[in-house]
Amino acid sequence: RAFVPDDDYVIEVGQARLRRSGTDVTVVATFTQLYAALQAAVALANSTDEPGDPLGSVEDLSAFLVAWSYTGRHDATPDELEAVRRLRPALRGLLLAERDEAAAIVNEMLARARALPQLQRHDQWDWHLHAVDPDRPLDERVVVETAMAMVDVVRADEMSRLARCAADDCEDVVLDLRSEEHTSELQSQS
């Protein structure tokens, strides 16, 4: 496994990458909400592989929501817990999909939820996108938040940042948030 730093690191402004030649420009900006949504989706997808299901109770789900800064409706019922648990295979499939398949999955998830992106500002978060009303069921909001984060991953052709753990005894999804420069530096050291 490669070294993953514990500390934050910065990708300098102006360090753009050319992903494909062409006549159009797409600016992709990623923010804390994107990382948080992806990290929460990875944690949820991986929770099925952990002994003693970390989402074993409604209280565990409440703690998960606080840990990953989910806002909006939370019914705190066994039915809601089961609905969120049922998401894990679909989220895992999305996170490990090839780019074209991921795009199709994202489109289907957003269409099924009748997602309508809107700018929101609340709590500690500045302006960002929500694509589903905060009063919708929790499982629906988790799917839409994950799908919205994956929109940027697919558009930026960054699917390689999501992979299955390379260890023989590990099936977890791994999310690499390191900068490309840092990743290249680490690869040259190994």
Side-chain angles (χ1 to χ4, degrees):
R1 293 185 193 180
F3 169 75
V4 177
D6 290 329
D7 298 333
D8 290 340
Y9 53 89
V10 175
I11 300 172
E12 298 296 325
V13 173
Q15 300 297 317
R17 288 185 298 175
L18 176 65
R19 299 303 289 186
R20 283 183 295 277
S21 298
T23 57
D24 298 319
V25 175
T26 300
V27 177
V28 178
T30 55
F31 298 97
T32 305
Q33 294 90 356
L34 167 70
Y35 296 145
L38 289 175
Q39 289 173 309
V42 167
L44 183 56
N46 288 341
S47 68
T48 58
D49 295 333
E50 297 177 20
D53 189 351
L55 291 180
S57 69
V58 171
E59 292 76 21
D60 293 337
L61 176 60
S62 296
F64 179 87
L65 299 176
V66 169
W68 295 108
S69 301
Y70 275 95
T71 59
R73 175 179 161 191
H74 173 37
D75 297 339
T77 64
D79 287 343
E80 181 182 63
L81 172 63
E82 285 308 310
V84 170
R85 285 170 152 175
R86 283 191 303 268
L87 296 177
R88 298 185 286 197
L91 294 182
R92 183 179 187 79
L94 170 60
L95 296 170
L96 294 175
E98 295 294 323
R99 186 173 185 224
D100 289 351
E101 180 186 2
I105 294 168
V106 164
N107 287 339
E108 192 272 328
M109 287 175 161
L110 294 175
R112 188 174 345 117
R114 292 187 175 99
L116 177 63
Q118 297 183 357
L119 284 168
Q120 303 281 323
R121 182 168 50 188
H122 58 85
D123 303 320
Q124 78 271 22
W125 304 108
D126 200 2
W127 289 109
H128 60 282
L129 283 175
H130 278 277
V132 69
D133 190 275
D135 289 331
R136 297 295 303 151
L138 177 61
D139 59 312
E140 186 175 305
R141 289 184 292 112
V142 169
V143 166
V144 171
E145 286 193 25
T146 302
M148 290 297 292
M150 289 298 292
V151 165
D152 284 335
V153 174
V154 170
R155 285 182 39 171
D157 197 9
E158 292 286 349
M159 294 300 294
S160 63
R161 294 195 178 267
L162 290 155
R164 190 177 321 274
C165 177
D168 291 338
D169 62 343
C170 177
E171 291 293 319
D172 284 353
V173 177
V174 177
L175 172 62
D176 182 359
L177 294 177
R178 296 172 292 174
S179 69
E180 185 173 283
E181 293 80 16
H182 184 74
T183 303
S184 298
E185 194 177 290
L186 289 173
Q187 289 172 344
S188 67
Q189 293 173 3
S190 54

